[in-house]
Amino acid sequence: MSFSPEYCQVRERDLATLSNYLSIVTRHIEIDWTIDWTNKVFGGSASLTLEATEEGESVKEVVLDSSFLDIKDVQIDGKKVQWKLDERIEAMGEALHVTLPKALNKGDHVTITIGYSTTTQCTAVGWLEPNQTKSGKYPYLFSQCQAIHARSLLPCQDTSSVKATYNAKVRSGMGLEVLLSGLRKGVKDLGEGVREFVYEQTNALPSYLIAVAAGELVYRPFDKLDGRDWTTGVWTEPGLIEAAAWEFREDTARFVATAEDLTSAYKFGQYNVLLLPESFPYGGMENPVTTYVTPTLIAGDRSQVDVVAHEISHSWFGNGISSQSSSHFWLNEGFTTYTERLIIGKTHGEPARQLSFIIGRQGLIGDLKRFEPRFQRLVSEYKEHEDPDDGYGQCAYEKGANLLLHLERTLGGLDVFLPYIKDYVKTFEGYSINTNQWRDHLFDYFGKQEGGAEYVRRLGKVDWDAWLHGAGEDLCVDLQYDDTLAKACYELAAKWDKARDSSDFSAFSSKDLENFSATQKVVFLDKLETYETLPHKAVEALDETYGFGKTGSAEIRLRFYEIALKSGPKYAEDAAVWVINKGRMKYCRPVFRLLNEQTPELAKKTFTDHASFYHPIARKMIAKDLGVKVDL
Ligand code: BES
Ligand code: ZN
């Protein structure tokens, strides 16, 4: 089999775009924006250079995704052309039709310039008031475009099937820094505190990787590694820079180097981390050049750096090799999670890698329970025009990473599997692929190795249908993990389970956790959660003994509230106070859902009172979870 460019470009239709990307594709984007801090909008233009790809038929119009944009005009070669916006289709937005003055044949290019501005309904950007920042002095903004929010920032073909390079010129007042997901090429002082930032991204990328953040930001470079030609560092608000630098400086460059050794050369020039304010809705987002992360990673003990290992791994899986649609999202997240754990294994040893799989499995089981069968499948089944945010869960991550672990073991371990990963990257880097192409290559690669017949026989015995399309509430193969590090956690959990009805918990003390890493505490609580609901007295004892109700570790605090809220409303008030500044959906959504079961009024009131704190994506998801409407 040959993995020619023609083969690599075979595409399945993405149901979450209204664009006609199967006929004409974006190759390059030029962005020109002025940030309007007063009205909380971006104004300017986007120029898209597209290439017709349709065989035979000529292309007469370009259809772009747009959502809540205020379109002013559309020009080609300096001349205004006809355009129209369709009625809104919820989540998809309003299709923007641009009539081409001259029909295009395969291979022809056209550049379309759209003058527009975003609106206050933009779902991609979170705007913060000065009082929501550390210093309290300046406003702040940041975008989150994955999965399909780029269309609310600029008109584009908003599908991961299309990859384009981009340049941007962005102006901001008040002397504030502007970061984009490319390399900074210059800054021009335009007077009166206004500066223009010029950025370039020369790697072709899906639209969801366009990112912007602006505010009072400072940079701290990390030490350069010998023999590597990229640099690393951290951006954040001045009041957080010391803590941020301490948390990430030990691991960032080493992680990039390890990932590079596992895959191929790092192509983005710099790898920076931007530590965001509390309302950032994810743990991390792999925006190229600068990964965005939640401030909940600042644990003071570097226990959350695996998130950075994860985002670094996306440089190859997701950003390098992209998936064609949300149905094949596991190619991003499964490969990335698998690679993240390889990095953790190389850094902290194989038992640490296995422990990550143990925690992941628990998260998977929890999530599979919440989802209907079509989202329990690794290759998930979206309906036409469905919001990909609705199918987001651990399935792609954990079923994906476990499938790769299963293949690693089936084929004979890391010695044979790691060279395969390298070949996979080499074959598909730069393309957007689907699960079939991935599997074709897997069989082809192993078939070509020495002893290929045996590898292919083993691959043939994998229950592909169950792994890729099977539903259900756990993995289709009960993978076992080395429990060296988990044993002590399980034993302690069993002890609590045994003591559940007792009135005397003096056998437990803070010493129990003395030798536990932060991750082991998580495993302990995860295990405890799998038992029958604890009586209230035991929950209180758990809190009094270990101080879980006050810990600054969000991973531990979340799990404690999960246990506590299942047992009754006693901790509802505490949990409600905790979530009003937890913008990361991994924390706020489960707590809101549990509060809604115990104390629905408190859940709804807490949310509506603080709705403006949350990023528009989190706001939408919490509102759906609670069954309330919010207009802001
Ligand atoms: N790309 C994801 C975040 C994402 C996925 C945003 C889908 C929007 C839609 C990112 O790489 C991620 O997986 N973040 C995780 C990190 C964790 C698995 C280490 C998160 O936010 O929890
Ligand atoms: Zn990810």
Side-chain angles (χ1 to χ4, degrees), residues 270-286:
Q270 295 177 18
Y271 180 84
N272 302 313
V273 172
L274 167 63
L275 185 84
L276 286 138
E278 293 286 355
S279 59
F280 184 61
Y282 289 96
M285 176 64 215
E286 65 272 28

Side-chain angles (χ1 to χ4, degrees), residues 144 146-147 208 281-286 306-307 310-311 314 329 333 336-337 340 389 392 394 397 584 586:
Q144 168 57 46
Q146 200 178 15
Y208 75 80
Y282 289 96
M285 176 64 215
E286 65 272 28
D306 51 340
V307 176
H310 179 96
E311 305 313 332
H314 274 303
F329 181 55
E333 297 300 345
T336 293
T337 301
E340 163 204 336
D389 287 345
Y392 178 77
Q394 288 306 299
Y397 294 76
R584 183 177 180 185
K586 179 179 183 183

